Amino acid sequence: MIRSIVFALCLTLPLPSLAECLADVQLPLDLTFNGNVHSEILANEGDIIRYRQYDFERKKFMEMTVQAGIFVLLADKYPGDAATFHWSTFLPGRKDIVPGAKFHAEASVTRPEVAQPNSYVLDVNVLGAEDLNILGCHFPVMKIMVTNREGKKPALVVTKWLHMPTLITLRGEFIEGGVLHVNEVTAIN
């Protein structure tokens, strides 16, 4: 489940804020990514973003609520695999995500079908500000390395390029099973 959540976070992309790239952007917005994955951005207010993700090749559907584009609050993977994250440590907001910042956060993850919660640890290292070109549009992003561990599972390291005005990841990379996975937008519908 956690790997699916990380995969989903890697695949989400931003509502471009540059007028020359997209005019009259309104929610919900449908984004298409490599691998025939679609994300529908439902809400983006304050430090919280909420979206639905459809992975047509894997036949998976998930709705996510995420703090500061990094910290999952709720991951509802249909059918019937919901995970609620109960954070016991400080969660930064968008104003805290600056070059050089580092965060360590701990949570317990509860699922209705599992009697005992799992421990979840997230270490975040904001590597710096970059300019990312997506579909001919230039976006200011923060390059962030996120290491997450759930229970006794091996750690997963994700590099993400987070568009701070929208808290949506434009690009994500992670290695799983010795294979590099790169997730990036291919169309904005």
Side-chain angles (χ1 to χ4, degrees):
M1 168 73 179
I2 258 329
R3 297 235 191 267
S4 296
I5 292 167
V6 169
F7 187 70
L9 286 172
C10 286
L11 292 176
T12 60
L13 297 178
L15 308 172
S17 62
L18 303 178
E20 66 272 13
C21 293
L22 288 176
D24 301 321
V25 173
Q26 296 183 22
L27 297 179
L29 177 67
D30 181 48
L31 305 167
T32 303
F33 306 88
N34 53 315
N36 198 23
V37 174
H38 297 267
S39 285
E40 180 183 18
I41 310 304
L42 302 172
N44 190 329
E45 299 172 3
D47 289 332
I48 305 291
I49 182 166
R50 189 170 57 87
Y51 59 91
R52 286 190 194 122
Q53 183 172 349
Y54 308 87
D55 185 336
F56 292 106
E57 289 182 10
R58 295 183 186 183
K59 297 181 172 124
K60 292 184 179 181
F61 169 75
M62 182 181 298
E63 188 166 317
M64 303 279 291
T65 303
V66 183
Q67 164 85 15
I70 300 170
F71 304 91
V72 176
L73 303 175
L74 176 65
D76 200 354
K77 185 171 129 183
Y78 299 103
D81 186 12
T84 302
F85 290 70
H86 307 276
W87 294 94
S88 60
T89 53
F90 166 77
L91 292 184
R94 81 173 72 218
K95 67 178 177 19
D96 302 307
I97 310 296
V98 297
K102 294 184 180 184
F103 306 99
H104 175 84
E106 298 178 10
S108 61
V109 181
T110 58
R111 294 177 178 84
E113 69 280 2
V114 178
Q116 295 295 322
N118 273 340
S119 64
Y120 185 77
V121 176
L122 203 64
D123 289 302
V124 177
N125 184 2
V126 183
L127 301 174
E130 294 187 3
D131 184 57
L132 191 62
N133 184 334
I134 301 284
L135 297 172
C137 296
H138 293 275
F139 298 95
V141 295
M142 286 293 175
K143 184 176 180 182
I144 302 170
M145 185 172 58
V146 179
T147 303
N148 66 67
R149 292 172 294 286
E150 181 177 4
K152 297 183 189 271
K153 296 177 185 174
L156 182 65
V157 179
V158 176
T159 302
K160 60 190 327 184
W161 286 260
L162 185 66
H163 184 244
M164 295 310 298
T166 60
L167 297 178
I168 304 171
T169 301
L170 291 167
R171 176 183 174 89
E173 298 179 353
F174 65 96
I175 296 175
E176 187 173 38
V179 177
L180 175 66
H181 299 271
V182 178
N183 307 298
E184 190 171 73
V185 72
T186 59
I188 301 172
N189 309 308

